Each structure stands twice: as structure tokens, then as C-alpha cells.
């Protein structure tokens, strides 16, 4: 068992490999050797009486002799004479290798009291030693072979630190001069002038000059690798995204992913670092995080960026900056650095195929529009199949969306020209909802100007699965400056109150001219008179400019807990706008309260309106925080639908 352990250690340590060979050769010369039993039990019967390697306690061999106990719990060795004895150097080195194996993770070394004491030390003729990490508590004049005073690391291309050697050190006034592994301590090599006596032990890196040489000619302090380590070390504190935010980084993208290429993550940008056009490897312009569950973000990479008109094109770590990969169209030159996450495509690849953005999905699509064959024919001229529940459920499943609200389009005056046509469309929606009653919710489409509007509300809401009222004054031929029309709309709100159902109200889109001030005042009055009617305003109520936004905020304020904002068309219309425009839209929507924003696709097959999956993709283009996106997509609209 011990030999297996030694072999495993030796495979990673040239020093142990040499010493293990010495042991094997010694045993070969001595004749038959008893194999080691568990916990140092005697060798098998019929052996030459030699004792196998002892277990940790080093119990007595069959002759009653006690093998010497290996230091600090290292394996004991038989006291039998002859070449079969294992050199004490092997025993000690095995103990060192086991004791410091944990420090291959430099973070563990730091946690145990080691701290950077030198930069990466190298010599053009002699090779390198690397970074020295020193534990001052161990620099007490006592030599402990399992507790080296210094650890030596070499940086890699990815900025990781690779443990290559241990260094023992005592003050240079210690008497007598100590030795270890049969080697006497000596003053440190030039250029060091530290008042120490030292011994290097290249346990983790082959050294052609010898295990105990001061320098290793196989190694160098590669400038690019050193810079990578400095970069990695400089952003370690940003593992806490709140620290990044405090230092001026702000989220500018959702989680950026590609089903074929992998992911980049959520980008946090420091604008001040970007606009200066200066490349500093310790100050990346962007940090990249990946959601890791429970609302936490894991720092996976960083990204350097400069405006694309910078001349000459900069390079870093031996790699030239380049335009960002699609779908980004930002006028930048960038370089990604995957120094915190393994990337099979390379440290400086744009995408990491090992990563993926969590599927957003959504609890509900709060506004979709099925269309009966009769209505489809009237709007298309014929020859186009209707769109109903089967198609919608397939789209919901594809996008990982659980439920949806199906809203009747019987309110469109140009297509449903009388009460009978309205009722027929409402009946169609109710029948489609009935196919998937656990996932679909129906809304009655109502034209307040029709004579039978109020009775249709009573009738339609009596149909199974119909739970709300859809209103679209612009599509119903309403003039909201006309008091008769206003009264008709108010009467529908009375019915909504009577039945305790929510209302979906379409007043304008972001592309429409601003509402007439009198019309807006009339709508505001209706809302103020019905504070208990829960209203979801379609398409952000058109609030993509500051003037309209302020007007609608004033309209909402009399009953803010009953006001919700559907964010479908307003996001779709500006999804490819410059970032500054999208940031402004987010800022305005935040004023409503993100908890009042409802995800929807506004899907209409005939018109080519987005599917739920496409709408989720659009949402991902806006610089909401990850928490805000999760709040929007996890909102099941129960506060609007049920008042809960």
C-alpha cells in the first residue's frame, strides 16, 4: 500500500522518482522482500524474514525489532540491515510531498498564512525560481520538513499559479547550520541579500541541475504569464459582484449565450475605463458573470475593450484585440480572458463551450392572441389557417413558459363588425382555453361601443376558463375625447368591478403619436374612479418618451397596486436600438416598479408577432439586472389576474 502511495507521489515529483528507484534497486539486491501488510502488518509467510514497509505507527516486525518511525507520521522503515533499508531522505520527502500537496491550490496556501514575498524571480542564464510565498510564522529558526517556510510558484498562460518547489529557510545566525535531505543550508543565491540560510526542493518540477539546485533552467518568468497572473490577482475581489458595482461596474447585458458556441455570461462594464482608451491588464473594462443559482453570480472571465477607432490596434498577453463577435454590434475592439474558468477553445476565445446561460423561461405569457378561422379569413382574405391553443402550447413548451393568457380579438371593429361576431370570437377563445385548462386563461374581447357589450361581458365571463376583459379603444373605433365613448368605456370598467376581473387596456403603442391630453385625462378619470379594478396596460402604455412616461405615472398613482405594465411591443420595437436608448427605457420602466412589469409576447401568428421564445430573447437584450429579469420572468401575474 505504501509503495503504491509512493509511486503515485513519485509520478508527480522527480525527487521522489529518484529515491523510489533507489529503494526498488536496494530491494532487488537484497533478495525476497516481504510485502507490506495493512497498517504495517508482517510480510507473508515464507518471506526471508524481512519486514515490509511499516504503516504510520511503525509497529514491530516479526523478530520483535522496531522499525524507525517516519517523521510527522511518514511510514516507518524496517530496522533490518542491508540494502533493503529505505533511505530516510525518501521517508522525509514523502512526508513533504504529502504535506504540501494541498498548496497546489494557491488559495489554500494563502488561507494558511503564506503571502507573496517576491515577484517572479528569474535569471536569463540560470532559469527561474518563480514567485515566493512566505509564511512568516514558520520563519522561527526551526526546520520542519513538512512545513517549508516558502512555496514557489510559476504563473501559467491562464494566470493560474503552478506549485513547483518548496524552500526551507532559517535566519543566518542559526547554529549549527541545519541540513535536510542530506543537504546543508546555504545563503540564498544572488541577487537576494536576505539574511537567511536556505534550501530549495524542486518536488513538483523536474530540474536538470538537481532536486536541490537554487535555479531551474527549465523555467522562466514569461512576461505574458506574469501579466496574466497580475490580471487575475487584481480582479480577485470582484468575485463579489457587489464589490464590482461599488468600483463602478454596472450590468450592461443579460446572460449572453449561443446554443452552438456556448456562453460569455452577464457583462458588467466600467464606463470610465472604457472611454479612456487605455489598456491596463490589471483593470479590465468588463467583468463576465454566470448565474449560479439562488441569485448568485459567479465570476468566470473578464474582457478588455477599447473604442474601435483606437490606433494602433492594441494587444495584450500576445493577442490582438478584435471586433466583438455577433450578435454584438458595439463599436469596440475586445479581448476576452478566460482566466477563471477552463475553456477548451483557449484562454482568449470569445465563447466558452463549457458554459451555458440558464434558460430564462417564464411563469406566464400575459398576452397572446388566438384567431378563429372566420376572423383570420376576414383579416387575411382567406387561405391562411387559424391559430389556436395547440400551436400556442407548442410555442410555450419550446420557450419553457408555463402558462399564457389568450385574449379574444373580437374587439376589432374592422373584423368583428357586430355583437354576433364578437360573441363568436369569444366563444372560439373559450373553446381553445378548454383544451388546456391548467395552462391557459381566457379574456373576453369587448367593443364598448356595441349595443350588446355589457351583456356580452356577463355571458362571456360565464364561460369556463374566461377570466378577464380585453379592451382596445383604438381598434374599436373609440374617440376618448368623446364623452359618449368615455361613458361606454367607464361602463365596462363598472362591469369589471362587478365581476371582480382584471382588464387588459390597449391605449397606444410606442409608435403611435402621444395621446391627446384630453383623452389621457379621461382615461385617468376612469382609472381613478375604479381603484379596485386591476389594469394591465398594453405595450408599456407607449411610455418610451419622458413626457408620456410622466403622464402615465400620474395616471397610475391613484391606485399603484392595481396598475401593471405589459412590456411586449415596447421592448420589441427598440431591441436593436443603441444601448443608451435601451438603458433609458429600462430606467423608465423601473419607475413603475419591476414587480409591476408583466412578461408577454403579444403573439399573433397572422401578423408575424414574436413567439414567446423570441420575446424572451428580446427581454434579454435590455440591461435589466439579472435579479430584475428573474423577477419579471418568475412573475405569474397572480396579483393582476386574481388580486393576490
Amino acid at each position: 500500500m505504501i509503495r503504491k502511495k509512493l509511486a503515485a507521489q513519485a509520478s508527480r515529483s522527480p525527487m521522489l522518482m529518484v529515491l523510489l528507484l533507489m529503494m526498488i534497486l536496494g530491494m532487488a539486491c537484497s533478495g525476497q522482500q516481504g510485502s507490506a501488510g495493512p497498517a504495517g502488518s508482517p510480510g507473508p509467510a515464507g518471506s526471508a524474514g524481512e519486514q515490509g514497509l511499516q504503516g504510520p505507527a511503525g509497529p514491530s516486525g516479526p523478530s520483535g525489532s522496531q522499525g524507525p518511525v517516519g517523521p510527522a507520521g511518514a511510514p516507518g522503515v524496517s530496522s533490518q540491515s542491508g540494502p533493503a533499508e529505505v533511505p530516510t531522505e525518501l521517508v522525509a520527502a514523502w512526508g513533504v510531498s504529502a504535506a504540501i500537496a494541498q498548496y497546489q491550490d494557491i488559495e489554500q496556501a494563502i488561507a494558511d498564512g503564506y503571502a507573496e514575498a517576491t515577484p517572479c524571480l528569474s535569471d536569463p542564464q540560470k532559469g527561474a525560481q518563480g514567485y515566493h510565498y512566505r509564511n512568516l510564522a514558520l520563519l522561527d529558526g526551526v526546520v520542519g520538513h513538512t512545513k517549508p517556510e516558502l512555496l514557489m510558484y510559476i504563473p501559467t498562460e491562464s494566470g493560474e499559479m503552478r506549485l513547483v518547489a518548496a524552500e526551507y529557510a532559517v535566519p543566518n545566525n542559526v547554529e549549527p547550520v541545519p541540513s535536510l535531505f542530506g543537504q546543508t543550508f546555504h545563503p540564498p543565491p544572488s541577487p537576494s541579500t536576505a539574511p537567511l540560510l536556505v534550501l530549495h526542493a524542486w518536488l513538483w518540477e523536474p530540474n536538470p541541475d538537481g532536486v536541490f539546485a537554487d535555479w531551474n533552467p527549465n523555467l522562466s518568468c514569461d512576461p505574458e504569464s506574469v501579466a496574466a497572473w497580475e490580471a487575475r490577482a487584481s480582479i480577485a475581489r470582484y468575485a463579489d459582484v457587489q464589490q464590482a458595482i461599488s468600483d463602478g461596474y454596472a450590468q450592461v447585458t443579460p446572460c449572453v449565450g449561443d446554443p452552438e458556441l456556448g456562453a460569455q455570461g452577464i457583462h458588467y462594464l466600467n464606463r470610465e475605463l472604457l472611454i479612456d482608451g487605455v489598456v491596463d491588464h490589471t483593470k479590465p473594462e468588463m467583468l463576465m458573470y454566470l448565474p449560479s443559482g439562488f441569485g448568485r453570480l459567479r465570476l468566470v472571465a473578464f474582457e478588455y475593450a477599447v473604442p474601435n477607432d483606437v490606433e494602433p490596434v492594441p494587444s495584450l498577453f500576445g493577442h490582438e484585440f478584435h471586433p466583438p463577435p455577433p450578435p454584438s454590434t458595439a463599436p469596440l475592439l475586445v479581448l476576452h480572458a478566460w482566466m477563471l474558468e477552463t475553456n477548451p477553445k483557449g484562454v482568449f476565445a470569445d465563447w466558452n463551450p463549457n458554459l451555458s446561460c440558464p434558460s430564462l423561461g417564464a411563469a406566464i405569457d400575459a398576452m397572446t392572441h388566438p384567431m378563429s378561422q372566420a376572423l383570420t379569413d376576414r383579416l387575411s382574405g382567406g387561405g391562411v389557417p387559424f391559430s389556436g391553443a395547440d400551436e400556442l402550447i407548442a410555442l410555450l413548451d419550446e420557450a419553457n413558459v408555463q402558462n399564457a393568457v389568450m385574449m379574444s380579438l373580437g374587439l376589432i371593429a374592422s373584423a368583428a363588425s357586430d355583437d354576433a361576431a364578437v360573441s363568436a370570437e369569444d366563444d372560439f377563445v373559450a373553446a381553445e382555453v378548454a383544451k388546456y385548462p391548467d395552462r391557459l386563461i381566457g379574456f373576453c374581447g369587448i367593443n364598448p361601443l356595441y349595443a350588446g357589450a355589457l351583456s356580452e361581458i356577463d355571458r362571456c365571463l360565464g364561460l369556463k376558463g374566461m377570466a378577464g376583459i380585453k379592451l382596445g379603444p383604438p381598434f374599436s373605433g373609440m374617440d376618448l375625447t368623446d364623452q359618449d365613448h368615455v361613458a361606454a368605456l367607464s361602463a365596462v370598467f363598472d362591469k369589471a368591478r362587478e365581476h371582480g376581473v382584471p382588464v387588459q387596456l390597449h391605449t397606444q403603442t410606442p409608435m403611435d403619436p402621444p395621446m391627446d391630453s384630453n383623452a389621457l385625462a379621461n382615461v385617468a378619470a376612469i382609472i381613478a374612479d375604479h381603484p379596485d379594478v386591476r389594469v394591465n396596460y398594453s405595450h408599456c402604455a407607449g411610455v418610451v418618451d419622458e413626457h408620456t412616461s410622466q403622464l402615465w405615472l400620474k395616471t397610475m398613482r391613484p391606485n399603484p397596486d392595481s396598475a401593471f405594465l405589459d412590456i411586449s411591443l415596447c421592448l420589441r420595437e427598440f431591441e436593436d436600438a443603441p444601448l443608451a436608448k435601451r438603458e433609458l427605457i429600462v430606467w423608465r420602466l423601473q419607475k413603475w416598479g419591476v414587480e409591476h412589469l408583466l412578461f408577454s409576447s403579444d403573439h399573433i401568428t397572422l401578423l408575424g408577432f414574436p413567439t414567446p421564445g423570441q420575446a424572451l430573447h428580446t427581454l434579454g437584450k435590455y440591461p435589466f439586472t439579472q435579479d430584475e429579469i428573474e423577477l419579471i420572468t418568475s412573475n405569474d401575474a397572480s396579483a393582476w389576474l386574481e388580486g393576490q
Side-chain angles (χ1 to χ4, degrees):
M1 181 64 178
I2 296 298
R3 264 187 284 179
K4 289 182 179 178
K5 288 184 178 179
L6 288 169
Q9 293 287 343
S11 68
R12 299 187 297 272
S13 169
M15 175 181 179
L16 292 183
M17 181 64 77
V18 172
L19 295 174
L20 185 59
L21 286 172
M22 291 169 55
M23 180 184 78
I24 294 171
L25 290 173
M27 288 179 174
C29 294
S30 67
Q32 291 292 325
Q33 172 67 23
S35 61
S41 58
S47 71
E50 303 290 350
Q51 172 65 26
L53 282 173
Q54 300 296 312
S60 300
S63 65
S65 62
Q66 173 68 43
V69 177
V77 187
S78 169
S79 62
Q80 298 290 329
S81 62
E85 291 188 11
V86 180
T88 56
E89 289 86 353
L90 174 59
V91 176
W94 185 88
V96 173
S97 181
I100 70 171
Q102 61 184 318
Y103 297 140
Q104 292 180 82
D105 178 359
I106 194 171
E107 296 302 325
Q108 184 61 54
I110 293 170
D112 285 355
Y114 289 89
E116 185 177 329
T118 73
C120 192
L121 299 182
S122 64
D123 182 282
Q125 278 76 44
K126 299 175 181 177
Q129 293 181 346
Y131 285 89
H132 290 64
Y133 274 68
R134 179 181 59 203
N135 190 323
L136 285 174
L138 297 178
L139 198 59
D140 53 8
V142 177
V143 176
H145 67 285
T146 63
K147 296 180 178 180
E149 285 73 18
L150 296 98
L151 302 172
M152 293 153 60
Y153 294 88
I154 286 288
T156 67
E157 180 192 39
S158 64
E160 294 179 284
M161 282 293 205
R162 182 165 58 87
L163 179 63
V164 293
E167 182 176 356
Y168 300 88
V170 296
N172 63 1
N173 58 0
V174 168
E175 292 289 347
V177 175
S179 63
L180 196 60
F181 312 123
Q183 307 290 318
T184 302
F185 282 43
H186 56 270
S190 176
S192 175
T193 58
L196 299 173
L197 297 173
V198 303
L199 178 67
H200 296 88
W202 296 90
L203 299 176
W204 301 97
E205 185 73 20
N207 189 336
D209 286 351
V211 173
F212 303 107
D214 288 323
W215 298 91
N216 192 326
N218 282 355
L219 300 178
S220 67
C221 292
D222 172 58
E224 305 297 353
S225 296
V226 170
W229 161 246
E230 292 172 348
R232 183 182 175 123
S234 71
I235 69 163
R237 64 186 184 278
Y238 296 141
D240 179 357
V241 70
Q242 294 305 318
Q243 182 62 55
I245 293 170
S246 296
D247 286 358
Y249 290 88
Q251 183 179 339
V252 291
T253 75
C255 190
V256 177
D258 183 281
E260 303 296 329
L261 300 173
Q264 294 179 348
I266 303 167
H267 292 66
Y268 278 70
L269 170 69
N270 188 314
R271 291 184 182 279
E272 290 187 5
L273 295 178
L274 176 63
I275 62 178
D276 64 13
V278 175
V279 175
D280 183 337
H281 67 286
T282 66
K283 296 179 179 179
E285 284 72 20
M286 284 185 268
L287 306 172
M288 292 150 62
Y289 294 87
L290 199 70
S292 59
F294 302 103
R296 292 191 295 267
L297 296 178
R298 177 164 57 92
L299 182 61
V300 294
F302 38 100
E303 182 176 355
Y304 300 91
V306 295
N308 63 1
D309 57 357
V310 168
E311 292 288 349
V313 174
S315 63
L316 201 56
F317 312 118
H319 293 264
E320 192 171 85
F321 284 41
H322 55 271
S328 175
T329 57
L332 300 173
L333 297 173
V334 303
L335 179 67
H336 296 87
W338 296 92
M339 296 181 182
L340 305 167
E341 190 80 17
T342 301
N343 189 338
K345 292 295 187 181
V347 175
F348 303 103
D350 288 323
W351 298 91
N352 191 329
N354 281 356
L355 303 180
S356 62
C357 292
S359 175
L360 277 181
I364 193 167
D365 185 335
M367 185 169 64
T368 67
H369 300 92
M371 196 178 290
S372 69
Q373 190 64 64
L375 186 62
T376 301
D377 290 343
R378 285 196 290 272
L379 291 175
S380 68
V384 178
F386 79 94
S387 54
D390 293 336
E391 175 195 356
L392 179 59
I393 288 295
L395 293 174
L396 295 177
D397 289 343
E398 183 181 273
N400 192 29
V401 177
Q402 180 59 35
N403 300 314
V405 179
M406 298 184 81
M407 298 188 174
S408 168
L409 291 175
L411 57 90
I412 302 177
S414 61
S417 56
D418 55 30
D419 287 321
V422 173
S423 296
E425 199 63 21
D426 289 343
D427 287 344
F428 165 74
V429 171
E432 294 300 300
V433 168
K435 294 178 181 179
Y436 302 93
D438 294 334
R439 298 187 64 185
L440 301 179
I441 301 162
F443 268 44
C444 309
I446 300 299
N447 186 331
L449 298 184
Y450 287 177
L454 301 184
S455 59
E456 173 60 14
I457 292 174
D458 293 333
R459 186 197 73 84
C460 179
L461 290 176
L463 299 174
K464 188 175 181 179
M466 303 302 281
I469 299 170
K470 163 78 172 182
L471 296 170
F475 302 118
S476 297
M478 300 189 74
D479 177 0
L480 293 179
T481 64
D482 183 314
Q483 290 305 311
D484 290 338
H485 290 194
V486 173
L489 182 61
S490 184
V492 172
F493 269 76
D494 290 342
K495 276 292 183 181
R497 171 190 283 159
E498 176 186 329
H499 287 277
V501 298
V503 169
Q504 179 80 24
L505 179 62
H506 178 122
T507 55
Q508 66 178 117
T509 72
M511 294 78 72
D512 296 332
M515 282 185 71
D516 179 274
S517 59
N518 291 326
L520 183 58
N522 289 331
V523 171
I526 292 173
I527 293 168
D529 289 343
H530 299 83
D532 49 350
V533 174
R534 305 179 301 278
V535 182
N536 185 25
Y537 299 99
S538 297
H539 315 307
C540 307
V543 292
V544 293
D545 66 86
E546 187 61 21
H547 175 69
T548 308
S549 179
Q550 290 300 324
L551 289 175
W552 273 99
L553 283 169
K554 290 177 182 178
T555 300
M556 181 194 75
R557 282 188 179 122
N559 51 332
D561 291 338
S562 299
F564 301 88
L565 211 59
D566 151 63
I567 57 174
S568 57
L569 183 57
C570 57
L571 297 191
R572 181 171 80 245
E573 181 64 20
F574 300 102
E575 62 179 316
D576 295 320
L579 177 60
K581 175 68 172 179
R582 287 177 281 136
E583 287 178 326
L584 191 58
I585 291 173
V586 167
W587 177 70
R588 289 175 179 142
L589 293 176
Q590 288 167 336
K591 289 184 177 182
W592 283 70
V594 176
E595 68 276 11
H596 292 280
L597 304 182
L598 299 181
F599 167 75
S600 74
S601 64
D602 191 30
H603 177 62
I604 305 177
T605 300
L606 179 64
L607 301 181
F609 282 11
T611 65
Q614 290 169 335
L616 282 170
H617 180 71
T618 295
L619 173 62
K621 292 185 177 182
Y622 281 78
F624 290 101
T625 68
Q626 193 67 23
D627 286 344
E628 287 172 335
I629 288 179
E630 290 177 3
L631 183 59
I632 292 168
T633 56
S634 65
N635 189 337
D636 64 2
S638 58
W640 168 54
L641 294 171
E642 303 169 11
Q644 298 177 354

